[in-house]
Amino acid sequence: SISSSGRTDALVHAVNQYAHFDFETGMSCDQIKRALNSLLADDIYIKDVKIVSCDFHARFDVKSKEYVYKINIGEYDPLSRNYIYQYNCNLNIEEMKKAIKLFEGLHNFKSFTKCNLNILDYDREIYETKIECVDNIIILTFKGDGFLRYMVRNMVGCLIEIGEGKRKVQDIITILKSEDRTKAGKTAPACGLYLKDVYYE
């Protein structure tokens, strides 16, 4: 039985994903790592294996998560099409930088997630955001206490519309207050999203 720190949607990448399991063996952590990697598919790799306390839980002990989203505003690159969103047009990055900061803090993110009758609490806190552009690749970073389904991709979709001039920076506040998914616009493609890291105590 394996418990992960959370799920990622199809076509979303994970640079660092964490999971725990109970296992009685005389094998060392390095031996377990090599054994697991010999059995896994080629699109996944165990970086490290550590012994943790019996009460540790990979999901419930998470303190924060960090996601990045990559957008190519330069020429179309077929080699990275599965790993970077090929937008291939200019965006107003300065306006996007202003807008992304409005996501920071504690907010109700119901407007930026898939509606789910089983979710009672849509409040999440975003600790840090950042946008940088390197060689025509825009990299958006979000670090927070937790993320709802499609939340990052919906925030990115809204930021792209601001970069296109279709929305204003202050629209972020209006959309958050509306608690209405239909106000937030399109969902950015999954291929550009990465779970960068998961943080514990």
Side-chain angles (χ1 to χ4, degrees):
S1 179
I2 300 173
S3 299
S4 70
S5 67
R7 59 165 291 168
T8 52
D9 296 320
L11 304 180
V12 173
H13 317 289
V15 179
N16 290 297
Q17 173 64 283
Y18 295 78
H20 83 265
F21 57 89
D22 296 325
F23 189 43
E24 292 185 9
T25 179
M27 299 168 65
S28 68
C29 289
D30 190 57
Q31 288 172 327
I32 295 172
K33 172 187 168 180
R34 291 200 306 270
L36 289 173
N37 281 323
S38 71
L39 299 171
L40 288 169
D42 291 340
D43 59 352
I44 187 171
Y45 180 75
I46 305 297
K47 291 182 173 181
D48 199 9
V49 174
K50 294 182 179 180
I51 298 174
V52 294
S53 62
C54 293
D55 60 353
F56 173 83
H57 198 286
R59 177 183 175 188
F60 300 125
D61 289 350
V62 171
K63 297 303 178 185
S64 62
K65 290 184 177 182
E66 185 174 2
Y67 282 90
V68 298
Y69 194 94
K70 298 181 180 182
I71 305 171
N72 178 19
I73 58 173
E75 291 289 325
Y76 175 75
D77 179 7
L79 297 181
S80 65
R81 72 190 187 281
N82 294 325
Y83 303 97
I84 301 175
Y85 172 35
Q86 301 297 308
Y87 182 79
N88 308 126
C89 292
N90 286 328
L91 290 168
N92 189 328
I93 299 174
E94 293 307 312
E95 288 297 288
M96 293 171 69
K97 285 181 178 180
K98 295 175 187 176
I100 197 173
K101 290 300 176 184
L102 297 178
F103 287 121
E104 293 184 0
L106 181 64
H107 302 286
N108 182 310
F109 283 94
K110 189 174 183 179
S111 297
F112 291 93
T113 187
K114 182 177 181 179
C115 293
N116 188 334
L117 296 177
N118 296 322
I119 296 179
L120 301 177
D121 181 13
Y122 290 92
D123 287 354
R124 297 293 185 275
E125 185 172 1
I126 304 297
Y127 302 134
E128 183 181 346
T129 61
K130 182 173 63 174
I131 295 181
E132 55 188 333
C133 187
V134 181
D135 296 330
N136 286 325
I137 305 298
I138 299 177
I139 303 171
L140 302 94
T141 302
F142 301 86
K143 186 176 181 180
D145 63 358
F147 294 86
L148 299 160
R149 190 174 187 187
Y150 303 146
M151 179 175 156
V152 175
R153 291 167 58 194
N154 289 335
M155 290 191 290
V156 171
C158 197
L159 290 169
I160 289 174
E161 292 182 349
I162 289 171
E164 294 171 329
K166 295 178 180 178
R167 293 182 187 267
K168 296 180 180 179
V169 171
Q170 294 301 315
D171 287 348
I172 297 295
I173 296 174
T174 304
I175 295 168
L176 285 167
K177 289 181 178 179
S178 74
E179 299 182 18
D180 183 351
R181 172 68 190 95
T182 64
K183 305 294 184 183
K186 295 181 180 179
T187 303
C191 60
L193 182 60
Y194 295 74
L195 173 61
K196 183 179 180 181
D197 217 338
V198 181
Y199 300 96
Y200 299 92
E201 284 287 0

